Amino acid sequence: MDVPIAANILGTTGAVCWSVQLLPQIVINYRRHDTEGLQASMMLLWAIAGVPLGVYNIVSELNVALRIQAQILTFLSLVTWAQCLYYGKKYALGNCAAAATALLLLLGAIETGLIFALREAKSRDLSWPLTLMAILSACFLAAGVLRHYWDIYVHRTVRGISFIFVAIDAAGDLFSLVSVVFEPRLDILAMVIYGTELALWTGVGVCGLVFNFRPWVMERRRAENDRWRRGREEHESPATDVSVSLHHMPSSTSVFRTASGSAEGGIVALRRVQQRVGQGASTAAI
C-alpha cells in the first residue's frame, strides 16, 4: 500500500513516542534516586539494538522518522543505563557519564561504518547483510524486554519500571508497525521487529494488571471495608456504654435496705440508753 503521507505521519508519531518513551522512566529514577527493579542489562541491550535497527532503517530507505527513531532509542537507553550505574551500583557520577559517552561514540562509529558497508552490499544485490541487521535488532530488543520478564517471574511483580513508559513504548511500536504497511514496499522484517516489541510490551502490561493493579484494587477494597466496620462500631459503642453503666449501678433495693438497717440500729441503741437512765433513776430513789 503506497501512501507516503500516511507512512510519514504514522512514522513520525511512532518516532515521537519513542523519543519520549524513556523520559518518564528517567524522571522517576531521578525523583526517587533509585533504580531497583529496573534492569541495567535491558537498557544496555536496547542501546546496542539501536545500531542494527538504525542501519536497517537507513539502508532500507524507510521514512525519515523511523531513521531518527533508532538513534533516539540508543541515546535515551544509554542515559537510563547510566542512571542504573549511578543509583543502583553507586558508581561516581563522572564515571557513569564517561562510560555512557564513550559507549555512545563507539556505537555511533559502528553504525556509521555498517551503513556504508551495507549500502555497498545492497548495490551488489546482497540482501543477507541487511536481513542480519533486522534479525539482530529484533533479538536485542526482545532480549532486553525478556530480561525484565525474568525479574517479573522471580519477584511476582513488575518492579522499577514505569507503566507510562510501557504504554508510550507500545504505542510507538504500534504506530511504527502501521507506518510500514503504508510504505511503497511491504517490509516484512520491519513488521517483525516492531510487532515483536509490541507483543512483549503488551505482555508486560498484562503482568502489571495481574501482579500490581489487581492486588492494589483488592487492598483498596479491604481498607474501605475496614473503615466502614470501624465507623459502624464507633456508631454503636455509645449505646453499649450506657447499658454497661446502668448495669453496674447499685439497685434501689440495696439502698433502702442499708437505710433501714441503719434506722433499726439507731432505735436499738436509743432503747438501751433509756433503760440505763431508768436504772440510774431507780438507784437514786432508793
Side-chain angles (χ1 to χ4, degrees):
M1 187 182 296
D2 187 4
V3 186
I5 296 178
N8 285 324
I9 292 175
L10 291 169
T12 302
T13 305
V16 170
C17 290
W18 271 35
S19 300
V20 300
Q21 60 173 344
L22 279 169
L23 292 180
Q25 186 67 54
I26 292 172
V27 171
I28 288 176
N29 296 341
Y30 173 75
R31 286 181 175 176
R32 67 185 182 185
H33 299 285
D34 186 21
T35 56
E36 183 181 1
L38 182 63
Q39 305 303 311
S41 57
M42 170 185 168
M43 294 295 101
L44 187 58
L45 287 169
W46 271 25
I48 297 173
V51 173
L53 180 61
V55 172
Y56 182 83
N57 290 350
I58 292 172
V59 177
S60 298
E61 298 180 351
L62 298 180
N63 58 75
V64 177
L66 293 182
R67 301 181 195 184
I68 299 174
Q69 183 188 76
Q71 320 310 319
I72 296 174
L73 172 65
T74 297
F75 175 74
L76 293 180
S77 297
L78 284 177
V79 172
T80 312
W81 175 71
Q83 283 187 320
C84 292
L85 296 181
Y86 179 67
Y87 294 122
K89 303 294 185 180
K90 306 301 180 183
Y91 290 170
L93 179 60
N95 293 339
C96 297
T101 302
L103 194 54
L104 179 63
L105 294 175
L106 176 62
L107 293 177
I110 293 173
E111 182 177 349
T112 303
L114 287 173
I115 289 172
F116 285 106
L118 267 69
R119 278 178 174 171
E120 181 65 22
K122 185 179 179 182
S123 65
R124 298 181 181 181
D125 294 329
L126 293 176
S127 60
W128 68 263
L130 201 57
T131 302
L132 178 62
M133 292 296 103
I135 294 174
L136 286 176
S137 62
C139 290
F140 280 122
L141 289 170
V145 183
L146 288 173
R147 177 64 184 87
H148 205 79
Y149 269 90
W150 175 253
D151 186 79
I152 294 173
Y153 172 75
V154 171
H155 297 280
R156 294 295 189 273
T157 185
V158 181
R159 308 185 308 147
I161 195 166
S162 168
F163 287 102
I164 299 177
F165 153 58
V166 172
I168 295 176
D169 197 343
D173 291 324
L174 179 60
F175 285 118
S176 300
L177 177 63
V178 178
S179 73
V180 174
V181 176
F182 290 99
E183 291 285 343
R185 180 179 59 88
L186 188 62
D187 196 321
I188 301 300
L189 288 176
M191 294 182 67
V192 170
I193 294 172
Y194 294 114
T196 301
E197 274 286 291
L198 178 60
L200 290 175
W201 281 127
T202 302
V204 172
V206 172
C207 291
L209 290 175
V210 174
F211 294 117
N212 294 65
F213 183 72
R214 183 171 174 268
W216 178 79
V217 172
M218 295 177 64
E219 183 64 27
R220 286 287 298 268
R221 289 181 178 177
R222 192 179 300 111
E224 290 177 0
N225 291 335
D226 291 341
R227 284 196 298 268
W228 178 81
R229 190 179 299 109
R230 286 195 299 268
R232 183 176 180 181
E233 291 175 355
E234 291 175 359
H235 179 72
E236 294 177 352
S237 59
T240 305
D241 292 339
V242 170
S243 62
V244 170
S245 61
L246 289 176
H247 182 269
H248 288 288
M249 288 180 64
S251 65
S252 58
T253 307
S254 63
V255 172
F256 283 117
R257 281 180 180 176
T258 304
S260 176
S262 300
E264 291 177 356
I267 293 171
V268 171
L270 180 60
R271 288 179 178 175
R272 290 178 179 176
V273 171
Q274 289 177 349
Q275 291 178 355
R276 291 176 182 175
V277 172
Q279 291 176 355
S282 300
T283 304
I286 295 172

